[in-house]
Amino acid sequence: MKKKAFVALVSAMICTVSVFGMTGCKGSNSNEVEFFSSKSENAQIMKKLVDQFNKEHAKEGVKVVLNTPADAGTVLKTRLTKNDIPDIIAYGGDQTYTELESAGVLKDLSQESYMNSVSDQYMQMVYDVQKDREKTAYAVPYATNASGVIYNVDKFKELGLKIPKTWDEFEEVIRRIEDAGGQPFEYAFKDDWTLLPPWNSMAPDLAPETFYDERLAGKTTFESTHKEIADKYLELLKHGQKDIMGTGYDDANKAFANGDAYMLINGNWAISEIKKNNPDIHLDMFALPASNDESKNYVTSGVDVLLCASAKTKHPKIVKEFLEFMMKPENNQKYIDDQFAFSPINGVEQKDETVASAQKDIEKGKVANFPDHYYPSGYDLASILSEYAMNYSTGMKDEENTKEFLKNLDTQYDAVNNK
Amino acid sequence: MKAKHWKVNPVYYIGVGIMAILFFTFHTVPFLKGVFYSFTDWKGFGDWNFVGLKNYGVVFSNKDILSAYFFTFKFALVSTILVNIVSLFLACGLSANVRFKSFLRGVYFLPYMLGMLIVGFVFNFIFGNLIPELGRAVKSDALSTNILGSSHAFWAIVFVTIWAGCAFDTLIYMAGLQAIDKEIYEAAALDGAIGWKRFIRVTFPLLAPSFTINMVLSVKSYLMVYDQIMAMTGGGPGKSTTSIAVMIYKQGLGHGQFAVQTANAVVLFIVVVVISVFQLRVLEKREEKVG
């Protein structure tokens, strides 16, 4: 009999534990405002800003809590499936934002005081990724990034190299580095997203301006317009280290920080990672000159972080105050300085020398958005590029490889564009 | 006593009932929902419409999905065979009278205690950093590149799967070996069956039940391979190591193809069920013959 009682007790315990376990997962504190941030790189500075805000608003009894999960895009989309939308969201200006915005869950921020101080160019980029390019501010750009060529200033000086302004000059730089026995680029293609920055830096310079809309409507193809980009992409692959497919992002940054290579094609977000490995390294960044027409060589710059808010939040007042706090120029400056990022707020400037050359172009407005922000969200460009690079490294003939790659770009595009 | 009114003590019903409810709410319901959404154009959130069998049409016509199936079948076949061969050898070795038997058994069981993801990350480091360093030290070109970034990434993943997967299979085979009566071996020895012959004619047939379990479980888990691939290659280089499960996750949740990949998941489920049932049928018949 005792044994039976014991079994009953255990089952009862399991039952209660599982019930409490379930409620425990879900129960969010009603005095907390969730600030969902997609980037792990900026978690520290975001935490500082949040703490400062909480200190200043201690009286109100409501706390902003920062949440930066790994693989944030997936987490956010999964939460959208449950209609569980964070109060405040910091996200990139990409297709996930499009999906978020088109679900109709975001608050209209048009009337907020800080809207006047935001650069039109970056505001336009937010509109561009909204559904039907709707011109309503459901989000405000907070920080912008730039993709281009990060170079080792000291090593460039050693060879007396200057920043190339055209494709021919760029090739000349590569040639001179190789003549001196150096390695021009360090690639990190084991992490397939690193294949995107070179593409993103070249495509806006060389693709026809109306390409995105026409491709979406099926009026043009990659095959007929992107041959030059594909050729130049392949050309750049030929000047990396030996194991371009087997090196990961962290290892490549380490190798570059140690002076193994002269250049790294990536974005300003990589700078802090490189500096972690070698704090004394002198870096600068320039726009990848894909065209021989200097006026077309844009800095690829997009909205790296935008802020938006749930329309259904329980604490609209705190959310409003928090966004106003974040958008103050002095707070934005703190973020920009910490992240080597650029600011969409007029008057806030990135003064760090590591991105000086890119900042100059951005100030002049010589900026193009990331092309992959305009591709359909199912389009896995990174893995198509990865196949291209893989075929190159296994020795496929260039001509055949490029042909297959261009065709692949179109078939994959059509596969995800069948709405 | 209460037992007079109940044929079976109610405690068992409570225990089974709780499990049944939990299983139904957290497994069966989401599964049925998934099947339902595979007939819609749901993005994972927001509005949706019925689209009939369109998603299934995409699954069977998309080149990438088909190549993921090809990769997965190849992987499951190769891994199942190799894992079972290696496990069988290990089990025989560890059941023989070798020195440090219990210690060695512990060592070979260790990988099972580690999560597959951890194993994947450890080998990611070994393949990416340790082996290339060794390769440079001995000036070998083949060794100094990361195998996970090459066209041989498949074999690296198979290797890691064998390393981690053998533990469980070996355990099952060892249990099977212990269940074989010693007298049978004596009788076999009198009839002249020793060494290799004894293994083929006596031991292996008597291991039939263990063999069935291992075959079915291995095929099932390798058809759904996910952890080690995410940890080591993320499906790359290109799409060369993208298994079905990896594709469902990456495309379905990361690239907004929720409905299509849900249909894909349903197809995968059917494939796994059909193969498992087929295997059970065939292998159980074999067991009957042996028995």
Side-chain angles (χ1 to χ4, degrees):
Chain A
M1 219 39 225
K2 251 185 189 169
K3 208 172 181 180
K4 278 174 197 166
F6 177 72
V7 173
L9 189 75
V10 169
S11 356
M13 258 166 62
I14 291 171
C15 186
T16 43
V17 165
S18 47
V19 167
F20 280 113
M22 276 176 261
T23 50
C25 292
K26 188 80 190 84
S28 67
N29 198 328
S30 63
N31 285 333
E32 286 178 356
V33 169
E34 186 189 358
F35 176 32
F36 183 99
S37 174
S38 64
K39 289 183 66 147
S40 54
E41 294 95 331
N42 66 17
Q44 260 178 326
I45 180 73
M46 284 293 198
K47 182 90 184 53
K48 262 187 215 160
L49 289 167
V50 165
D51 286 346
Q52 194 190 333
F53 177 83
N54 282 336
K55 222 188 214 168
E56 287 172 18
H57 292 73
K59 283 177 284 183
E60 286 166 71
V62 181
K63 229 169 84 184
V64 175
V65 180
L66 180 69
N67 178 18
T68 46
D71 214 345
T74 309
V75 173
L76 190 61
K77 283 187 199 178
T78 320
R79 286 184 56 176
L80 273 177
T81 65
K82 295 183 288 183
N83 261 327
D84 170 24
I85 295 139
D87 302 298
I88 307 160
I89 303 166
Y91 209 85
D94 54 21
Q95 303 119 347
T96 306
Y97 170 72
T98 311
E99 288 182 29
L100 188 67
E101 185 265 342
S102 62
V105 295
L106 297 180
K107 190 176 171 233
D108 180 359
L109 303 174
S110 317
Q111 302 307 318
E112 303 296 327
S113 53
Y114 42 78
M115 277 298 166
N116 301 324
S117 62
V118 175
S119 132
D120 294 340
Q121 229 162 355
Y122 288 112
M123 203 57 230
Q124 186 59 45
M125 285 185 196
V126 174
Y127 295 146
D128 281 347
V129 292
Q130 298 198 141
K131 196 190 174 198
D132 303 326
R133 306 215 168 163
E134 191 187 340
K135 289 208 167 200
T136 309
Y138 289 110
V140 56
Y142 191 67
T144 63
N145 54 16
S147 177
V149 183
I150 301 166
Y151 69 97
N152 187 324
V153 175
D154 293 337
K155 288 185 78 107
F156 260 52
K157 264 188 201 149
E158 271 169 35
L159 291 186
L161 297 167
K162 281 204 189 85
I163 293 178
K165 298 278 184 214
T166 62
W167 176 258
D168 289 345
E169 286 177 27
F170 195 35
E171 283 197 306
E172 172 71 15
V173 165
I174 294 169
R175 201 184 51 76
R176 282 181 57 190
I177 293 170
E178 281 182 343
D179 285 349
Q183 172 196 324
F185 300 105
E186 179 79 27
Y187 293 118
F189 295 158
K190 182 160 181 294
D191 290 309
D192 66 4
W193 67 268
T194 62
L195 286 131
L196 293 171
W199 178 268
N200 285 335
S201 300
M202 287 195 285
D205 303 354
L206 301 173
E209 267 170 51
T210 53
F211 177 77
Y212 308 121
D213 289 330
E214 285 184 9
R215 186 65 194 82
L216 200 65
K219 284 186 212 150
T220 184
T221 56
F222 281 98
E223 207 173 356
S224 60
T225 54
H226 280 55
K227 173 99 172 51
E228 189 183 352
I229 302 171
D231 286 339
K232 287 183 173 169
Y233 192 95
L234 195 57
E235 180 57 36
L236 292 182
L237 295 190
K238 293 177 184 163
H239 306 286
Q241 77 276 29
K242 206 180 78 192
D243 192 11
I244 58 173
M245 299 307 293
T247 311
Y249 182 55
D250 293 335
D251 291 332
N253 286 340
K254 202 185 278 170
F256 180 72
N258 292 337
D260 286 8
Y262 283 70
M263 293 177 276
L264 188 79
I265 307 178
N266 212 306
N268 61 309
W269 53 83
I271 289 173
S272 50
E273 300 295 315
I274 298 165
K275 289 217 152 181
K276 260 183 222 161
N277 287 301
N278 179 3
D280 302 325
I281 193 167
H282 289 119
L283 301 171
D284 189 13
M285 187 166 134
F286 60 84
L288 200 161
S291 168
N292 271 331
D293 177 355
E294 212 188 305
S295 68
K296 280 195 172 168
N297 289 327
Y298 303 106
V299 171
T300 306
S301 172
V303 177
D304 186 38
V305 179
L306 49 73
L307 297 175
C308 49
S310 159
K312 287 183 263 177
T313 175
K314 281 183 206 149
H315 303 283
K317 189 170 159 274
I318 288 286
V319 169
K320 187 179 154 76
E321 281 171 3
F322 184 72
L323 290 180
E324 279 165 3
F325 167 83
M326 291 293 282
M327 292 301 289
K328 275 187 199 162
E330 67 265 29
N331 290 333
N332 187 254
Q333 186 80 53
K334 277 183 206 160
Y335 179 92
I336 302 293
D337 290 349
D338 183 80
Q339 292 289 303
F340 300 102
F342 306 97
S343 176
I345 298 177
N346 295 326
V348 182
E349 254 174 55
Q350 177 54 266
K351 297 189 186 74
D352 199 281
E353 58 164 12
T354 54
V355 285
S357 305
Q359 170 72 33
K360 262 184 237 155
D361 282 337
I362 288 177
E363 268 170 50
K364 276 187 259 165
K366 201 173 166 190
V367 182
N369 196 357
F370 285 78
D372 66 340
H373 289 189
Y374 297 116
Y375 300 145
S377 78
Y379 197 47
D380 194 358
L381 180 64
S383 74
I384 305 172
L385 287 168
S386 172
E387 271 176 337
Y388 190 35
M390 184 65 195
N391 285 339
Y392 156 71
S393 77
T394 51
M396 194 189 226
K397 275 209 189 92
D398 285 358
E399 205 175 319
E400 194 185 334
N401 191 8
T402 309
K403 213 173 150 194
E404 200 174 284
F405 166 68
L406 285 168
K407 224 181 238 157
N408 209 356
L409 282 172
D410 280 312
T411 45
Q412 299 271 352
Y413 190 101
D414 293 333
V416 292
N417 197 28
N418 53 352
K419 277 174 184 163
Chain B
M1 281 273 290
K2 265 183 196 167
K4 273 180 188 171
H5 306 284
W6 298 79
K7 267 189 188 160
V8 182
N9 191 309
V11 163
Y12 295 111
Y13 285 109
I14 297 173
V16 172
I18 292 168
M19 274 321 289
I21 292 168
L22 289 178
F23 186 81
F24 187 75
T25 22
F26 293 109
H27 189 273
T28 315
V29 170
F31 171 73
L32 292 176
K33 258 182 152 174
V35 174
F36 174 78
Y37 282 122
S38 72
F39 297 108
T40 70
D41 63 354
W42 201 41
K43 277 183 298 184
F45 52 87
D47 307 327
W48 51 267
N49 305 295
F50 276 109
V51 293
L53 289 170
K54 191 175 154 225
N55 293 329
Y56 291 89
V58 174
V59 170
F60 288 113
S61 61
N62 186 313
K63 204 185 81 197
D64 289 337
I65 297 181
L66 293 180
S67 70
Y69 271 91
F70 178 72
F71 168 84
T72 310
F73 284 135
K74 188 170 109 182
F75 175 82
L77 188 75
V78 171
S79 302
T80 304
I81 292 173
L82 291 179
V83 165
N84 278 284
I85 291 175
V86 175
S87 305
L88 207 49
F89 270 104
L90 280 178
C92 290
L94 292 173
S95 299
N97 249 338
V98 287
R99 271 183 187 215
F100 311 117
K101 195 159 80 179
S102 12
F103 171 73
L104 284 175
R105 281 182 178 181
V107 168
Y108 282 105
F109 193 65
L110 259 181
Y112 189 71
M113 317 283 275
L114 302 168
M116 198 65 217
L117 214 50
I118 302 293
V119 173
F121 283 128
V122 169
F123 274 95
N124 195 16
F125 183 77
I126 292 175
F127 288 134
N129 300 70
L130 294 185
I131 293 182
E133 229 158 79
L134 186 83
R136 277 190 287 274
V138 299
K139 301 227 163 60
S140 153
D141 252 12
L143 279 183
S144 59
T145 53
N146 184 351
I147 186 172
L148 294 174
S150 73
S151 47
H152 305 302
F154 174 82
W155 292 105
I157 293 170
V158 168
F159 174 79
V160 174
T161 307
I162 296 172
W163 187 83
C166 273
F168 182 76
D169 288 38
T170 307
L171 192 75
I172 302 274
Y173 281 130
M174 278 192 328
L177 284 173
Q178 261 166 13
I180 297 175
D181 205 334
K182 292 275 173 296
E183 284 175 19
I184 295 177
Y185 287 142
E186 282 165 23
L190 284 179
D191 288 338
I194 40 167
W196 182 242
K197 214 170 180 185
R198 188 182 83 172
F199 177 78
I200 294 289
R201 294 287 167 87
V202 181
T203 315
F204 189 63
L206 286 172
L207 272 177
S210 316
F211 184 70
T212 308
I213 298 174
N214 275 340
M215 286 308 267
V216 175
L217 288 184
S218 316
V219 169
K220 185 217 126 228
S221 62
Y222 299 145
L223 279 176
M224 304 201 308
V225 57
Y226 176 78
D227 305 25
Q228 55 269 57
I229 295 182
M230 284 310 275
M232 292 197 294
T233 63
K239 293 186 182 98
S240 59
T241 60
T242 304
S243 74
I244 307 168
V246 170
M247 166 151 272
I248 290 171
Y249 173 78
K250 277 177 79 176
Q251 291 294 103
L253 292 170
H255 284 275
Q257 288 190 309
F258 193 88
V260 171
Q261 295 304 335
T262 310
N264 193 4
V266 173
V267 173
L268 175 62
F269 168 76
I270 294 170
V271 166
V272 172
V273 169
V274 167
I275 291 181
S276 301
V277 169
F278 174 77
Q279 269 188 314
L280 274 175
R281 283 263 167 105
V282 171
L283 292 172
E284 269 174 357
K285 256 194 198 139
R286 175 175 166 267
E287 274 180 47
E288 276 164 28
K289 252 191 224 163
V290 178

